[in-house]
Amino acid sequence: MASVLVIEDDDRIRLSLVLALEDEGYVAEGAATAEEGLARQRKSPADTVLVDLMLPGLDGFDTIRELRRADDVPIVVVSARSDTHDIVAALEAGADDYLVKPVAIKELTARLRALRRRARAAATAMPTLTFGELTILPLAGEVTLNGEPVALTRTEFRLLCELAEHPGMVLSRQQLLERVWEYDFGDERLVDVHVGRLRQKIEVEPSAPRHLVTVRGLGYKLQR
């Protein structure tokens, strides 16, 4: 059974999420603070972590950064904060997805299932691909830039492989949501923020990308 760690300071919300997830077949446990959650994740890593942004002490943004430093565990923000700035900041910190409270448990579990499918399918059958100084080895789950390894999250790797599988082809934000996130609909800011993070890692000059480029009004493409 998949395990989920819920880092949420509101006792009522934390308990309701844990119980609802258990009813859906997950092994779930809760943590009331970031410090407690980080300690639990170090001791017994969960398959997915849910994080509230408004936590006492270490806030949700720093919690995400700490989790991301340790590994590439899928992270979903569950927060009452719906401002665009907060959503983008959470994604840029390293979150894979963002849901606004109150959350319907069926939507949450659908997102969790998609995250796990993406994790299992991260390596595809594509051969080694080269885009200038960028090399992608899908079967090995590795990416190098000028011969140096590039550390990507599972979502960033999936996004890069999806674009690399269609070199020079423009993929819309909606197409990428469907193929990478496996969402029939969703917030297209997920795509924009992850593309921005990916550029910081795979482009020699992220502000003037050579390979991962924007086609205004259409979407993104990876070109040689």
Side-chain angles (χ1 to χ4, degrees), residues 72-92:
D72 63 351
V73 61
I75 301 170
V76 179
V77 171
V78 179
S79 175
R81 295 165 69 164
S82 59
D83 183 77
T84 296
H85 173 77
D86 293 323
I87 295 173
V88 171
L91 295 172
E92 288 181 339

Side-chain angles (χ1 to χ4, degrees), residues 190-202:
L190 279 172
V191 178
D192 295 334
V193 173
H194 278 82
V195 165
R197 283 169 47 192
L198 194 51
R199 278 180 177 149
Q200 292 295 322
K201 297 180 179 182
I202 68 168

Side-chain angles (χ1 to χ4, degrees), residues 4-150:
V4 181
L5 172 62
V6 181
I7 305 178
E8 165 66 64
D9 66 314
D10 186 301
D11 294 339
R12 180 182 58 81
I13 295 175
R14 184 176 66 255
L15 180 59
S16 65
L17 283 173
V18 167
L19 291 176
L21 287 167
E22 288 177 342
D23 285 344
E24 293 292 323
Y26 290 86
V27 175
E29 64 176 346
T33 66
E35 292 78 7
E36 180 187 355
L38 291 169
R40 289 194 179 198
Q41 184 65 8
R42 284 192 294 268
K43 182 178 180 180
S44 181
D47 296 313
T48 308
V49 181
L50 308 185
V51 181
D52 182 28
L53 293 182
M54 296 182 286
L55 296 170
L58 198 68
D59 68 17
F61 300 105
D62 286 332
T63 302
I64 294 167
R65 294 186 187 97
E66 287 298 320
L67 288 166
R68 189 54 71 220
R69 287 191 186 100
D71 57 37
D72 63 351
V73 61
I75 301 170
V76 179
V77 171
V78 179
S79 175
R81 295 165 69 164
S82 59
D83 183 77
T84 296
H85 173 77
D86 293 323
I87 295 173
V88 171
L91 295 172
E92 288 181 339
D96 294 283
D97 204 348
Y98 194 111
L99 292 173
V100 178
K101 297 176 183 175
V103 176
I105 191 62
K106 293 300 183 183
E107 179 181 5
L108 174 58
T109 55
R111 299 288 182 96
L112 295 180
R113 286 193 297 272
L115 280 169
R116 285 181 59 75
R117 286 196 299 269
R118 283 154 43 195
R120 290 195 297 267
T124 71
M126 290 185 294
T128 299
L129 299 171
T130 302
F131 293 79
E133 64 284 348
L134 178 69
T135 301
I136 307 165
L137 296 86
L139 292 177
E142 297 174 0
V143 176
T144 62
L145 181 65
N146 289 322
E148 296 296 320
V150 179

Side-chain angles (χ1 to χ4, degrees), residues 160-181:
L160 180 60
C161 285
E162 185 62 42
L163 290 163
E165 190 175 2
H166 305 88
M169 180 186 299
V170 180
L171 296 177
S172 70
R173 292 169 176 83
Q174 183 57 43
Q175 285 176 310
L176 291 170
L177 274 176
E178 292 172 357
R179 298 181 185 186
V180 178
W181 280 264

